[in-house]
Amino acid sequence: MFSVLSSLLPTSFPLPIPTISLPSFALPTSIQRRFVAFVLQKSIGHLVKPGQLDSTQVDAQLRLGNGVVKVEEVLLDEE
């Protein structure tokens, strides 16, 4: 019975893939800094002293596909 059903169905279903065009705009620098500081705090926050990695120490210039992140004056936790 399965072979009868499979012979009735087409071998491929031509489904159109929707395309979404997102506007290309840059986020304000303050939001980029806060976002990058948050991600760094969550990922490597256990390696630095408490109170480090805030948005004043992060310089983020993110663009679609590439970007630069600089972190200055961070003290590592020695424990």
Side-chain angles (χ1 to χ4, degrees):
M1 181 166 170
F2 181 71
S3 62
V4 173
L5 289 176
S6 63
S7 66
L8 296 175
L9 296 174
T11 56
S12 65
F13 294 101
L15 297 175
I17 299 174
T19 58
I20 299 173
S21 177
L22 297 174
S24 61
F25 61 91
L27 289 174
T29 305
S30 61
I31 294 176
Q32 290 181 14
R33 286 180 180 174
R34 288 173 46 198
F35 175 73
V36 170
F38 172 79
V39 170
L40 288 174
Q41 183 64 36
K42 292 295 181 184
S43 61
I44 63 169
H46 63 281
L47 300 174
V48 298
K49 290 188 176 183
Q52 300 292 308
L53 293 177
D54 62 359
S55 61
T56 61
Q57 295 169 305
V58 175
D59 181 19
Q61 298 172 0
L62 305 177
R63 293 179 191 89
L64 190 61
N66 60 10
V68 175
V69 175
K70 294 180 189 176
V71 182
E72 298 176 352
E73 299 179 16
V74 176
L75 300 174
L76 296 177
D77 192 9
E78 298 171 0
E79 294 180 11

